[in-house]
Each structure stands twice: as structure tokens, then as C-alpha cells.
Amino acid sequence: SMAVAAALHPAHIVNAYGPPVCGEQEVRARLLGQQRISQYIVDQVNRRVLAGEHADDIAATLTLPDSVTQGRKYRETYHRLAWIVRSLVSREFGHFGGDVEEFCRLSPADEARRLIDAMGGLEDVIARAANAYHDGDVRWSLRLATIAVKAAPSDSAAREIRHQSMRAIAYQTDSANERNYLLTAVAL
């Protein structure tokens, strides 16, 4: 734990995802600060799930107040907060999000084909994805392009806008893991 590491009185930390930290007091403050942040996230996720909130809603709205970060900027250089939330919910509560519809879902490919039909056809969805990409809404572009690729895996236009969207997100993120996952997916 971070408290155990702080009790060792280290004078330096060499971070894998950020600049090194020097000085025993600064190192201790960082370690205990990270412990405080981690505990806050766990407590909030557990509280909100037990109150009936869905993991995706928690992931979209959980923020770290200044009282927890103590004025330090929390940078998502390793994992994004939304990923941490979803991981905690899955680990602590399982995959079920609280809506029985989850047990009755269609296969991803079948759902994608039906969504494509509901949205006016494959060409319309690809055009909407391209427009979202050009408007800078790359996460929505990626979602639409992913639906198109699931419905029509061999469609080169859908695959290209999906790859462009993933690259755009990768180049914008501070999270090394998110960047690496996205760029690896594009390369595969």
C-alpha cells in the first residue's frame, strides 16, 4: 500500500507515467495523496453502486474534489478514472449493471445490424461517423464507426473512420494505457 511505502521514508520516486519526485516530504505527500485518492474512488463507487447507479453513469460523473486532491492536479497518465470505476464495479459487484435487459441482449453483431437499419442504413451511419470525426467529436465517431464495423466487418470506409477516430483519441489522451490500447488496435 501507499502507506507502507511512505513508512519506508523514500527520498525519490521514479514514476513510470510521470516525472520523478524528489525529497522525502514531497514523496510522502504524493504517496499518501495517492492513497487518499484511491480510497475516495473506492468509497464513492461502492456507495453509488449500492444506491442503484449504473457503472457507466458513475464513470461519466465521478470527479475528484479539491478536498481529496488537496489542490494537486490529478492527471490520468496511467488509467483513466472512468476505467478505474468500471473495473472496480466489475471486481466488486460482477458484470450485472442492474438492468435485467442486460440478460436478454442480442449478440453484438445482430444488435449492430439492427441499429444500422434503425439509423438509416450503413452509408448514413458511416457518414454520421465521418461528420462527428470532422467536428472533433471523435469518441462519438468511434462509437458509430464501431457499430458499422460490427454490422459490416469488411467495409473499408467504416474501418478507416474507426481507425482515424482511435488515432485521434490516442493523440489527445494523457493516459499511456489508453494511447497504447488504441494504437495497438489500429495496428492489428
Side-chain angles (χ1 to χ4, degrees):
S1 86
M2 299 293 171
V4 171
L8 296 173
H9 305 287
H12 305 284
I13 298 176
V14 179
N15 290 315
Y17 299 97
V21 180
C22 297
E24 189 175 321
Q25 287 182 337
E26 181 62 18
V27 168
R28 180 176 174 74
R30 293 281 181 97
L31 289 171
L32 295 179
Q34 187 58 50
Q35 181 182 17
R36 185 176 49 258
I37 289 168
S38 298
Q39 189 61 56
Y40 176 83
I41 294 167
V42 169
D43 291 347
Q44 290 301 305
V45 167
N46 288 343
R47 181 184 64 79
R48 291 173 68 175
V49 167
L50 292 173
E53 285 188 65
H54 191 277
D56 291 337
D57 294 324
I58 300 168
T61 60
L62 183 65
T63 59
L64 301 175
D66 286 341
S67 61
V68 172
T69 63
Q70 295 186 339
R72 292 180 186 263
K73 182 174 180 347
Y74 177 77
R75 292 187 57 218
E76 296 178 323
T77 56
Y78 185 64
H79 281 308
R80 294 182 58 236
L81 183 55
W83 295 9
I84 295 168
V85 168
R86 288 184 183 101
S87 176
L88 285 170
V89 171
S90 178
R91 185 186 79 202
E92 297 297 321
F93 300 97
H95 75 280
F96 180 56
D99 186 337
V100 296
E101 178 269 339
E102 293 174 31
F103 295 123
C104 306
R105 288 195 176 148
L106 302 167
S107 72
D110 192 26
E111 179 181 34
R113 283 190 293 276
R114 292 175 187 216
L115 285 170
I116 293 292
D117 287 344
M119 290 188 274
L122 185 61
E123 292 76 23
D124 284 351
V125 172
I126 293 170
R128 289 173 197 239
N131 288 338
Y133 175 82
H134 293 297
D135 290 343
D137 194 357
V138 291
R139 290 183 185 272
W140 181 238
S141 173
L142 176 59
R143 184 68 189 125
L144 291 174
T146 298
I147 292 169
V149 167
K150 285 184 180 189
S154 62
D155 190 285
S156 61
R159 296 184 78 73
E160 180 57 28
I161 194 68
R162 184 170 190 266
H163 288 168
Q164 289 174 347
S165 299
M166 286 191 285
R167 279 192 293 273
I169 295 167
Y171 299 147
Q172 293 171 357
T173 188
D174 285 338
S175 170
N177 284 348
E178 182 175 37
R179 182 174 31 265
N180 292 337
Y181 293 145
L182 289 162
L183 294 176
T184 298
V186 169
L188 295 179

